[in-house]
PDB file of all heavy atoms in Angstrom:
ATOM      1  N   GLY A 826       4.792   6.262 -13.174  1.00 98.00           N
ATOM      2  CA  GLY A 826       5.505   5.162 -12.618  1.00 98.00           C
ATOM      3  C   GLY A 826       6.874   5.165 -12.847  1.00 98.00           C
ATOM      4  O   GLY A 826       7.576   4.137 -12.600  1.00 98.00           O
ATOM      5  N   VAL A 827       7.544   6.304 -13.314  1.00 97.00           N
ATOM      6  CA  VAL A 827       8.925   6.436 -13.470  1.00 97.00           C
ATOM      7  C   VAL A 827       9.638   6.729 -12.183  1.00 97.00           C
ATOM      8  O   VAL A 827       9.239   7.726 -11.505  1.00 97.00           O
ATOM      9  CB  VAL A 827       9.260   7.489 -14.534  1.00 97.00           C
ATOM     10  CG1 VAL A 827      10.790   7.586 -14.744  1.00 97.00           C
ATOM     11  CG2 VAL A 827       8.622   7.183 -15.931  1.00 97.00           C
ATOM     12  N   TRP A 828      10.635   5.892 -11.843  1.00 97.00           N
ATOM     13  CA  TRP A 828      11.363   6.125 -10.576  1.00 97.00           C
ATOM     14  C   TRP A 828      12.166   7.454 -10.639  1.00 97.00           C
ATOM     15  O   TRP A 828      12.772   7.773 -11.578  1.00 97.00           O
ATOM     16  CB  TRP A 828      12.265   4.905 -10.324  1.00 97.00           C
ATOM     17  CG  TRP A 828      13.060   4.994  -9.072  1.00 97.00           C
ATOM     18  CD1 TRP A 828      12.645   4.644  -7.781  1.00 97.00           C
ATOM     19  CD2 TRP A 828      14.412   5.509  -8.920  1.00 97.00           C
ATOM     20  NE1 TRP A 828      13.633   4.960  -6.852  1.00 97.00           N
ATOM     21  CE2 TRP A 828      14.709   5.451  -7.532  1.00 97.00           C
ATOM     22  CE3 TRP A 828      15.321   5.978  -9.807  1.00 97.00           C
ATOM     23  CZ2 TRP A 828      15.982   5.822  -7.099  1.00 97.00           C
ATOM     24  CZ3 TRP A 828      16.614   6.371  -9.262  1.00 97.00           C
ATOM     25  CH2 TRP A 828      16.861   6.309  -7.936  1.00 97.00           C
ATOM     26  N   CYS A 829      12.068   8.221  -9.486  1.00 97.00           N
ATOM     27  CA  CYS A 829      12.691   9.472  -9.447  1.00 97.00           C
ATOM     28  C   CYS A 829      13.770   9.619  -8.350  1.00 97.00           C
ATOM     29  O   CYS A 829      14.698  10.423  -8.499  1.00 97.00           O
ATOM     30  CB  CYS A 829      11.650  10.597  -9.234  1.00 97.00           C
ATOM     31  SG  CYS A 829      10.494  10.754 -10.622  1.00 97.00           S
ATOM     32  N   GLY A 830      13.565   8.934  -7.236  1.00 96.00           N
ATOM     33  CA  GLY A 830      14.633   9.103  -6.169  1.00 96.00           C
ATOM     34  C   GLY A 830      14.096   8.412  -4.870  1.00 96.00           C
ATOM     35  O   GLY A 830      13.232   7.634  -4.869  1.00 96.00           O
ATOM     36  N   TYR A 831      14.725   8.768  -3.743  1.00 94.00           N
ATOM     37  CA  TYR A 831      14.519   8.124  -2.507  1.00 94.00           C
ATOM     38  C   TYR A 831      14.178   9.207  -1.391  1.00 94.00           C
ATOM     39  O   TYR A 831      14.666  10.326  -1.533  1.00 94.00           O
ATOM     40  CB  TYR A 831      15.780   7.382  -1.939  1.00 94.00           C
ATOM     41  CG  TYR A 831      16.269   6.287  -2.803  1.00 94.00           C
ATOM     42  CD1 TYR A 831      17.336   6.459  -3.564  1.00 94.00           C
ATOM     43  CD2 TYR A 831      15.594   5.038  -2.770  1.00 94.00           C
ATOM     44  CE1 TYR A 831      17.804   5.406  -4.322  1.00 94.00           C
ATOM     45  CE2 TYR A 831      16.072   3.982  -3.523  1.00 94.00           C
ATOM     46  CZ  TYR A 831      17.214   4.174  -4.318  1.00 94.00           C
ATOM     47  OH  TYR A 831      17.607   3.125  -5.056  1.00 94.00           O
ATOM     48  N   GLU A 832      13.341   8.782  -0.465  1.00 89.00           N
ATOM     49  CA  GLU A 832      13.070   9.614   0.731  1.00 89.00           C
ATOM     50  C   GLU A 832      13.606   8.889   1.885  1.00 89.00           C
ATOM     51  O   GLU A 832      12.998   7.817   2.363  1.00 89.00           O
ATOM     52  CB  GLU A 832      11.565   9.943   0.822  1.00 89.00           C
ATOM     53  CG  GLU A 832      11.156  10.835   2.045  1.00 89.00           C
ATOM     54  CD  GLU A 832      11.377  12.297   1.748  1.00 89.00           C
ATOM     55  OE1 GLU A 832      11.811  12.623   0.661  1.00 89.00           O
ATOM     56  OE2 GLU A 832      11.120  13.059   2.695  1.00 89.00           O
ATOM     57  N   ASP A 833      14.748   9.280   2.465  1.00 81.00           N
ATOM     58  CA  ASP A 833      15.245   8.681   3.717  1.00 81.00           C
ATOM     59  C   ASP A 833      14.427   9.210   4.919  1.00 81.00           C
ATOM     60  O   ASP A 833      14.265  10.393   5.196  1.00 81.00           O
ATOM     61  CB  ASP A 833      16.699   9.096   3.895  1.00 81.00           C
ATOM     62  CG  ASP A 833      17.575   8.484   2.867  1.00 81.00           C
ATOM     63  OD1 ASP A 833      17.744   7.245   2.916  1.00 81.00           O
ATOM     64  OD2 ASP A 833      18.189   9.161   2.035  1.00 81.00           O
ATOM     65  N   ILE A 834      13.769   8.231   5.560  1.00 75.00           N
ATOM     66  CA  ILE A 834      12.809   8.637   6.656  1.00 75.00           C
ATOM     67  C   ILE A 834      13.083   7.822   7.951  1.00 75.00           C
ATOM     68  O   ILE A 834      13.261   6.593   7.882  1.00 75.00           O
ATOM     69  CB  ILE A 834      11.312   8.397   6.206  1.00 75.00           C
ATOM     70  CG1 ILE A 834      11.036   9.468   5.115  1.00 75.00           C
ATOM     71  CG2 ILE A 834      10.406   8.506   7.332  1.00 75.00           C
ATOM     72  CD1 ILE A 834      10.863  10.849   5.567  1.00 75.00           C
ATOM     73  N   ARG A 835      13.073   8.564   8.998  1.00 72.00           N
ATOM     74  CA  ARG A 835      12.884   8.004  10.349  1.00 72.00           C
ATOM     75  C   ARG A 835      11.659   8.506  10.888  1.00 72.00           C
ATOM     76  O   ARG A 835      11.493   9.672  11.078  1.00 72.00           O
ATOM     77  CB  ARG A 835      14.130   8.438  11.270  1.00 72.00           C
ATOM     78  CG  ARG A 835      15.495   7.791  10.676  1.00 72.00           C
ATOM     79  CD  ARG A 835      16.672   8.386  11.551  1.00 72.00           C
ATOM     80  NE  ARG A 835      16.740   9.875  11.346  1.00 72.00           N
ATOM     81  CZ  ARG A 835      17.177  10.499  10.318  1.00 72.00           C
ATOM     82  NH1 ARG A 835      17.616   9.863   9.274  1.00 72.00           N
ATOM     83  NH2 ARG A 835      17.230  11.766  10.259  1.00 72.00           N
ATOM     84  N   ARG A 836      10.768   7.583  11.265  1.00 72.00           N
ATOM     85  CA  ARG A 836       9.370   7.922  11.521  1.00 72.00           C
ATOM     86  C   ARG A 836       9.015   7.467  12.906  1.00 72.00           C
ATOM     87  O   ARG A 836       9.247   6.227  13.235  1.00 72.00           O
ATOM     88  CB  ARG A 836       8.427   7.451  10.511  1.00 72.00           C
ATOM     89  CG  ARG A 836       6.950   7.945  10.645  1.00 72.00           C
ATOM     90  CD  ARG A 836       6.071   7.426   9.560  1.00 72.00           C
ATOM     91  NE  ARG A 836       5.951   5.990   9.654  1.00 72.00           N
ATOM     92  CZ  ARG A 836       5.669   5.151   8.672  1.00 72.00           C
ATOM     93  NH1 ARG A 836       5.624   5.619   7.449  1.00 72.00           N
ATOM     94  NH2 ARG A 836       5.435   3.890   8.823  1.00 72.00           N
ATOM     95  N   SER A 837       8.390   8.236  13.822  1.00 74.00           N
ATOM     96  CA  SER A 837       8.013   7.774  15.039  1.00 74.00           C
ATOM     97  C   SER A 837       6.752   8.559  15.512  1.00 74.00           C
ATOM     98  O   SER A 837       6.434   9.626  14.893  1.00 74.00           O
ATOM     99  CB  SER A 837       9.074   8.042  16.048  1.00 74.00           C
ATOM    100  OG  SER A 837       9.441   9.430  16.186  1.00 74.00           O
ATOM    101  N   SER A 838       6.012   8.026  16.479  1.00 76.00           N
ATOM    102  CA  SER A 838       4.851   8.662  17.025  1.00 76.00           C
ATOM    103  C   SER A 838       4.892   8.560  18.460  1.00 76.00           C
ATOM    104  O   SER A 838       5.212   7.450  19.066  1.00 76.00           O
ATOM    105  CB  SER A 838       3.571   8.098  16.515  1.00 76.00           C
ATOM    106  OG  SER A 838       3.503   6.717  16.644  1.00 76.00           O
ATOM    107  N   VAL A 839       4.632   9.635  19.196  1.00 78.00           N
ATOM    108  CA  VAL A 839       4.744   9.633  20.658  1.00 78.00           C
ATOM    109  C   VAL A 839       3.276   9.980  21.249  1.00 78.00           C
ATOM    110  O   VAL A 839       2.674  10.943  20.901  1.00 78.00           O
ATOM    111  CB  VAL A 839       5.713  10.613  21.161  1.00 78.00           C
ATOM    112  CG1 VAL A 839       5.824  10.774  22.659  1.00 78.00           C
ATOM    113  CG2 VAL A 839       7.182  10.350  20.551  1.00 78.00           C
ATOM    114  N   PHE A 840       2.931   9.055  22.128  1.00 77.00           N
ATOM    115  CA  PHE A 840       1.613   9.285  22.849  1.00 77.00           C
ATOM    116  C   PHE A 840       2.028   9.857  24.342  1.00 77.00           C
ATOM    117  O   PHE A 840       2.658   9.085  25.036  1.00 77.00           O
ATOM    118  CB  PHE A 840       0.813   8.039  22.981  1.00 77.00           C
ATOM    119  CG  PHE A 840      -0.567   8.251  23.665  1.00 77.00           C
ATOM    120  CD1 PHE A 840      -1.609   8.639  22.972  1.00 77.00           C
ATOM    121  CD2 PHE A 840      -0.654   7.969  25.053  1.00 77.00           C
ATOM    122  CE1 PHE A 840      -2.891   8.778  23.664  1.00 77.00           C
ATOM    123  CE2 PHE A 840      -1.874   8.114  25.670  1.00 77.00           C
ATOM    124  CZ  PHE A 840      -2.982   8.545  24.997  1.00 77.00           C
ATOM    125  N   GLU A 841       1.562  11.087  24.622  1.00 74.00           N
ATOM    126  CA  GLU A 841       2.015  11.588  25.862  1.00 74.00           C
ATOM    127  C   GLU A 841       0.949  12.563  26.357  1.00 74.00           C
ATOM    128  O   GLU A 841       0.510  13.436  25.575  1.00 74.00           O
ATOM    129  CB  GLU A 841       3.388  12.364  25.731  1.00 74.00           C
ATOM    130  CG  GLU A 841       3.894  12.852  27.051  1.00 74.00           C
ATOM    131  CD  GLU A 841       5.376  13.476  26.703  1.00 74.00           C
ATOM    132  OE1 GLU A 841       5.504  14.137  25.707  1.00 74.00           O
ATOM    133  OE2 GLU A 841       6.266  13.221  27.592  1.00 74.00           O
ATOM    134  N   ASP A 842       0.535  12.450  27.630  1.00 69.00           N
ATOM    135  CA  ASP A 842      -0.516  13.320  28.153  1.00 69.00           C
ATOM    136  C   ASP A 842      -1.777  13.336  27.385  1.00 69.00           C
ATOM    137  O   ASP A 842      -2.372  14.373  27.193  1.00 69.00           O
ATOM    138  CB  ASP A 842       0.054  14.779  28.383  1.00 69.00           C
ATOM    139  CG  ASP A 842       1.277  14.833  29.315  1.00 69.00           C
ATOM    140  OD1 ASP A 842       1.311  13.995  30.221  1.00 69.00           O
ATOM    141  OD2 ASP A 842       2.151  15.636  29.123  1.00 69.00           O
ATOM    142  N   GLY A 843      -2.132  12.185  26.852  1.00 65.00           N
ATOM    143  CA  GLY A 843      -3.315  12.029  26.178  1.00 65.00           C
ATOM    144  C   GLY A 843      -3.280  12.547  24.669  1.00 65.00           C
ATOM    145  O   GLY A 843      -4.354  12.672  24.027  1.00 65.00           O
TER     146      GLY A 843
END
Side-chain angles (χ1 to χ4, degrees):
V827 177
W828 180 83
C829 296
Y831 299 102
E832 181 81 0
D833 290 295
I834 289 291
R835 295 171 300 280
R836 190 178 67 208
S837 62
S838 55
V839 177
F840 182 86
E841 189 174 37
D842 298 328

